C-alpha cells in the first residue's frame, strides 16, 4: 500500500499490470473469453498501486458507489473473500461488471494515478475477486424475515436483476418476469460469450434465485398480463424492460436477405448459439460482412462475424474514431483481430441480387461539421463520393429504443417522444402509482452499470414506498 | 420450466395436432395470435399459430406440418412428454367485431389459425362463410370443426378428390361475384395462396386481411427478423401483425425473406433424417 505524500508516490508503477489475453490470431477463431483474468500475483501487484486516497474519487465515478479503496485494501491483504463481500455490499453482479463496465469512463477515469500514468485497473481487480469467489462457491447471504410485501420486476436484464436482488435482501417477495426463455436480458442475448461467458450470467442469476427471487421466463407482460393487472396483484412494480426495439436506417434495400439488426444477429449467436453446430438455430455466415455503427454492439457484432468465419469484416461509421461510443478496449481488441474500420463513411443504399440476397453496401464519405446536441461533431456527406463495399451479410447496429409492448394496458404510465418511460432520476418513480422504472427503458440504450445503478436506486425507493403503505 | 404435451395425433399425413398444458397462455389467448416453442435446450425458437385454446382447462392447441428439422422432431414427441419452452400469446389479436358477412379462406395448415377466427367471428354475431382447401382430401384438416364454427362451409382440393376441383380462391370469387354483401375476407395459408387470393379479391369493395408467417426469433419486436413491407413501410409481423391489410403487403419480399434459410434447412433435414435412420433419434 502506498501513500499519497512524499517519496513513496514516485515508487508507484506508472503502468498497470497487463491483463493476460488470448492472442488475437487464436481468439478470432473461437468464442472463448478474450481476457483471461488476473492470476493472484497480477492482482496483488495491481492492488498495490492503489493510493488508498482519503477522499476517493473513484467511488464517485461508480454508478453503484462500490467501496473501491476498501475492497482493494483487502485484496492487498490477500483477504479475497473479504474483498468480494465488500464489493457485493453494493454491487450484486461483480463478475459481470468486472468484464463489461466502461471503467475507463467511470471509476478509473477519476483515479488520481491516471493524472500522471495509468489509473488502477479497478475493473480487472473486481473481476479477479468475483472469479475467486465463484471458484470457491458463492456464499448466500442470510435472508431477512419476510415483510409480506410482493414486488414484480419486469425484465431480467441488469436493471431488473439488481432491483430484484436488493429487494429480496430487504425481505420482500420478488417475482421476475422475462419474455425470453433465459434470464439476463442483454447479458444473455446481446453480449457475446467472448466478452461475457454465459455461464457467469447463469451463476449470477442462480445466486439471485437463492435469495428467494422467483423467475418466470416465457412470460410477457403486455400479452399474458397487462401492467394494470400486475398492479392489482403486487404491492409495487419495477420496470426494467430495456431498449430492445432495433432501429433501422430507412435506406433502400434494408430488407434484403442477409441484412440483420444487431439484436437479431447477436441473439442468434449468443442466446441461440448459432456458432455451435450442435444447436439448431442458424445465422448466415458471411464472407464479406459490413457492420454499421460505432458502439459496443457494433464491435460485438463485427467480432462475432469474424469468429463465424468471415474473410473480411468492416465497421462502417459515419464519424471518426474519437467520436466512437464504443469502449476503447473493445475498439483495440477489434483492431487487433483484423476488423477493418471504415470511418467517416455512411451507407446510403443496400444492393441485392434477383434472389433478394444482399450483395453490397453503397456508402458515401462524410466530413465532420458543427457539434450536434450530443456534443459530437455532426457528419456531413461529401457530395459525389459514393462507393460500394461488397457484402453478403450486413448488420445494422445503430441503436435501439424501448419496446412499446409494455405500454399496452398500462393506464397512466407517461412516456416521452422517444418512447422511453418518464421516471424520476433519483427514485425511478413513474407517473403511475407504485410503478418504478430504470435502465434503458428510461434512458434509452446505455451501459450495464448505469442500468444497475438505476435498479439499485429504485429498489431503495420501492422499499421506502412499501414501508409507507 | 417445462410444458406438458397432453394430446398428440396425426390429423393428416405429416400434419399433427398437439395440445399443450400452458394455462397462462390459454388464459390470455385470443383469435389471431401465435406462440413460439422450443423443443429442448439446443432447439430453435419456432413460431406456430394457435389453433385452439381452452381457458378453463389451461390448454393450447397447435397444428403443424412436418417441414424442417424442428417440426419433424416435434412430430416424434408423444403425449406425456414435455416442451422446454412455450411462450405466448404473441401478436396483435384479430380485430373481431360484428361486421355482417365475413369470408374465411384457409389453405393447407392455414385452416388451423382460421378455426379460432371462425369461432370468434361467429360469436360476435357475423355470418361466417368458410372456404377450406388442400392439395387432396387426405390433407384436408378441421373439416368438422370449421363446419360447426361457420354458417356455410365450402371445400376445394387441387386434385378434385373432395369438393370443388381447384383453388379456394375460385370459390371466394364466386361468392364475391354472387352479390352477397361481404364486409371482410380473411385469407390464411401459404404465402403464394395469400398473394393470389389478394389479387382475386382486390377488385371488390371488401376489406382483405392476411395473416403472415415470417421468420422470427423472439416474437416480441426485439430482433426485427420478421420485418415485412406494408404500405411502403417496414413493419414487424410479430408485434404489428400477424394480420395486415392484404392490398398493402409486399408479398414478393415476404416470399423471398421466407426463403432465406432454405439451403440450410434442407441440409439440416437431410442430416436429421440420416441420423434417424442410424437410430440416433
Amino acid at each position: 500500500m502506498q501513500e499519497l505524500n512524499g517519496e513513496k508516490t514516485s515508487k508507484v508503477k506508472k503502468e498497470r499490470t497487463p491483463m493476460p489475453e488470448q492472442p488475437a490470431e487464436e481468439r478470432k477463431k473461437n468464442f472463448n473469453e478474450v481476457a483471461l483474468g488476473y492470476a493472484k500475483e497480477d492482482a496483488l501487484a495491481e492492488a498495490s498501486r492503489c493510493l488508498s486516497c482519503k477522499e476517493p474519487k473513484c467511488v464517485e465515478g461508480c454508478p453503484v458507489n462500490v467501496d473501491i479503496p476498501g475492497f482493494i485494501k483487502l485484496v492487498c491483504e490477500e483477504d479475497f473473500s473479504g474483498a468480494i463481500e465488500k464489493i457485493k455490499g453494493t454491487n450484486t453482479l461483480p463478475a459481470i461488471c468486472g468484464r463489461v463496465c466502461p471503467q475507463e469512463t467511470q471509476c478509473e477515469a477519476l483515479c488520481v494515478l491516471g493524472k500522471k500514468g495509468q489509473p488502477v485497473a479497478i475493473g480487472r481487480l473486481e473481476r479477479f475477486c468475483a472469479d475467486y469467489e465463484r471458484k470457491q462457491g458463492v456464499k448466500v447471504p442470510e435472508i431477512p424475515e419476510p415483510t409480506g410485501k410482493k414486488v414484480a420486476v419486469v425484465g431480467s436484464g441488469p436493471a431488473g436483476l439488481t432491483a430484484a436482488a436488493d429487494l429480496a435482501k430487504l425481505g420482500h417477495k420478488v417475482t421476475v418476469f422475462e419474455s425470453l426463455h433465459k434470464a439476463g436480458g442483454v447479458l444473455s442475448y446481446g453480449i457475446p460469450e467472448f466478452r461475457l461467458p454465459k455461464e457467469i450470467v447463469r451463476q449470477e442469476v442462480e445466486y439471485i434465485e437463492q435469495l428467494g427471487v422467483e423467475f418466470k421466463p416465457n412470460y410477457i407482460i403486455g400479452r399474458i398480463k397487462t401492467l394494470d393487472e400486475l398492479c392489482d396483484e403486487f404491492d409495487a412494480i419495477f420496470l426494467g424492460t430495456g431498449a430492445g426495439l432495433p432501429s433501422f436506417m430507412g435506406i433502400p434495400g434494408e430488407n434484403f436477405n442477409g441484412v440483420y439488426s444487431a439484436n437479431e444477429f447477436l441473439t442468434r449467436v449468443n442466446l441461440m448459439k448459432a456458432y455451435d453446430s450442435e444447436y439448431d438455430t442458424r445465422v448466415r455466415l458471411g464472407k464479406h460482412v459490413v457492420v454499421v455503427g460505432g458502439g459496443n454492439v457494433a464491435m460485438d457484432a463485427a467480432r462475432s462475424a469474424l469468429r463465424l468465419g468471415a474473410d473480411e469484416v468492416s465497421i462502417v461509421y459515419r464519424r471518426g474514431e474519437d467520436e466512437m461510443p464504443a469502449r476503447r478496449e473493445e475498439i483495440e481488441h477489434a483492431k487487433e483481430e483484423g476488423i477493418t474500420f471504415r470511418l467517416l463513411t455512411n451507407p446510403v443504399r443496400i444492393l441485392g441480387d434477383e434472389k433478394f440476397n444482399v450483395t453490397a453496401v453503397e456508402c458515401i464519405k462524410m466530413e465532420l461539421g458543427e457539434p450536434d446536441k450530443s456534443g459530437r461533431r455532426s457528419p456531413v456527406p461529401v457530395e459525389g463520393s459514393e462507393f460500394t463495399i461488397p457484402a453478403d451479410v450486413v448488420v445494422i447496429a445503430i441503436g435501439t429504443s424501448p419496446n412499446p409492448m409494455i405500454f399496452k394496458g398500462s393506464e397512466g404510465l407517461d412516456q416521452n417522444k422517444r418512447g422511453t418511460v418518464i421516471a424520476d432520476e433519483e427514485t425511478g418513480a413513474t407517473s403511475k402509482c407504485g410503478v418504478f422504472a430504470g435502465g434503458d427503458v428510461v434512458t434509452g440504450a446505455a451501459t450495464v452499470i448505469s442500468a444497475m445503478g438505476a435498479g439499485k436506486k429504485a429498489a431503495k425507493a420501492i422499499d421506502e414506498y412499501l414501508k409507507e403503505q | 420450466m417445462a410444458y406438458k404435451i397432453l394430446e398428440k395425433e396425426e390429423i393428416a399425413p405429416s400434419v399433427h395436432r398437439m395440445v399443450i398444458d400452458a394455462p397462462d397462455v390459454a388464459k390470455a389467448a385470443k383469435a389471431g395470435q401465435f406462440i413460439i416453442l422450443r423443443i429442448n435446450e439446443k432447439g430453435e425458437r419456432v413460431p406456430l399459430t394457435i389453433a385452439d385454446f381452452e381457458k378453463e382447462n389451461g390448454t393450447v392447441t397447435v397444428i403443424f406440418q412436418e417441414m424442417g428439422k424442428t417440426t419433424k422432431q416435434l412430430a416424434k414427441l408423444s403425449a406425456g412428454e414435455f416442451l422446454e419452452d412455450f411462450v405466448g400469446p404473441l401478436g396483435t389479436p384479430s380485430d373481431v367485431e360484428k361486421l355482417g358477412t365475413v369470408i374465411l379462406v384457409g389453405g393447407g395448415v392455414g385452416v388451423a389459425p382460421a378455426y379460432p377466427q371462425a369461432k370468434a367471428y361467429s360469436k360476435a354475431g357475423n355470418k361466417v362463410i368458410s372456404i377450406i382447401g388442400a392439395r387432396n382430401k387426405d390433407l384436408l384438416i378441421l373439416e368438422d370443426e370449421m363446419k360447426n364454427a361457420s354458417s356455410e362451409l365450402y371445400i376445394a382440393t387441387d386434385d378434385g378428390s373432395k369438393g370443388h376441383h381447384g383453388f379456394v380462391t375460385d370459390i371466394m370469387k364466386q361468392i364475391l361475384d354472387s352479390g352477397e354483401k361481404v364486409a371482410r375476407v380473411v385469407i390464411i395459408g401459404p404465402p403464394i395462396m395469400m398473394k393470389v387470393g389478394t389479387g382475386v379479391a382486390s377488385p371488390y369493395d371488401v376489406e382483405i386481411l392476411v395473416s403472415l408467417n415470417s421468420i422470427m426469433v423472439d416474437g416480441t419486436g426485439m430482433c426485427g427478423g420478421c420485418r415485412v413491407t406494408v404500405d411502403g413501410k417496414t413493419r414487424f409481423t410479430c408485434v404489428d401483425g400477424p394480420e395486415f391489410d392484404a392490398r398493402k403487403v409486399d408479398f414478393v419480399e415476404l416470399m423471398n425473406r421466407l426463403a432465406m434459410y432454405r439451403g440450410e434447412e434442407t441440409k439440416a433435414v437431410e442430416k436429421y433424417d440420416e441420423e434417424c435412420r442410424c437410430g440416433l433419434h
Side-chain angles (χ1 to χ4, degrees), chain A residues 38 128 130-138 203:
Chain A
Y38 275 166
F128 170 79
D131 289 354
Y132 172 86
E133 188 198 27
R134 283 191 308 110
K135 275 179 217 139
Q136 307 293 311
V138 176
Q203 289 186 16

Side-chain angles (χ1 to χ4, degrees), chain A residues 29-77:
Chain A
K29 293 181 222 139
N30 67 54
F31 275 86
N32 301 336
E33 208 173 1
V34 168
L36 302 170
Y38 275 166
K40 185 177 143 191
E41 296 70 35
D42 298 324
L44 292 176
E46 186 58 24
S48 73
R49 294 179 67 228
C50 177
L51 301 176
S52 207
C53 305
K54 289 244 157 51
E55 283 173 33
K57 291 279 176 217
C58 52
V59 180
E60 290 168 29
C62 172
V64 297
N65 304 122
V66 168
D67 177 1
I68 294 163
F71 98 76
I72 294 182
K73 184 165 177 287
L74 290 163
V75 172
C76 288
E77 293 164 7

Side-chain angles (χ1 to χ4, degrees), chain A residues 179-182 189 215-220 223-225 244-246 248 254-261 263-265 267-268 271-273 276-285 354-357 396 403 405 408, chain B residues 1 3 24-25 28 33 38 41-45 69-70 73 84-93 215-218 220-225 227-229 234 236 238-239 253 256-257 259-261 264-265 268 271:
Chain A
S179 67
L180 284 168
H181 55 263
K182 202 167 265 174
Y189 74 75
F215 282 85
K216 277 185 174 269
N218 295 327
Y219 203 109
I220 305 175
R223 292 278 189 228
I224 290 186
K225 274 195 181 114
L245 200 69
F248 289 91
E254 238 173 339
N255 290 351
F256 279 133
N257 287 340
V259 182
Y260 288 99
S261 74
N263 268 0
E264 180 180 5
F265 186 74
T267 300
R268 284 178 182 273
L271 183 72
M272 308 303 296
K273 305 216 183 304
D276 184 338
S277 63
E278 289 286 301
Y279 285 74
D280 291 335
T281 301
R282 291 171 275 271
V283 71
R284 190 165 278 207
L285 306 174
E354 72 289 346
K355 284 189 172 160
F356 224 69
N357 291 313
I396 313 288
N403 190 322
M405 205 135 66
K408 287 182 201 289
Chain B
M1 195 99 187
Y3 300 81
D24 289 331
V25 185
Q33 292 187 296
R38 202 169 64 125
E41 178 55 34
K42 290 179 178 167
E44 54 183 341
R45 293 171 63 99
K69 183 192 166 183
T70 303
Q73 218 179 342
E84 183 94 11
D85 300 296
F86 192 84
V87 59
L90 295 160
T92 304
I215 292 173
M216 51 180 76
V217 184
D218 62 296
T220 62
M222 187 267 272
C223 82
R227 55 198 192 276
V228 54
T229 302
T234 292
F236 293 169
C238 68
V239 285
E253 180 188 88
N256 276 306
R257 284 189 70 83
M260 175 150 171
Y261 294 103
E264 287 96 333
E265 260 162 31
K271 184 167 173 261

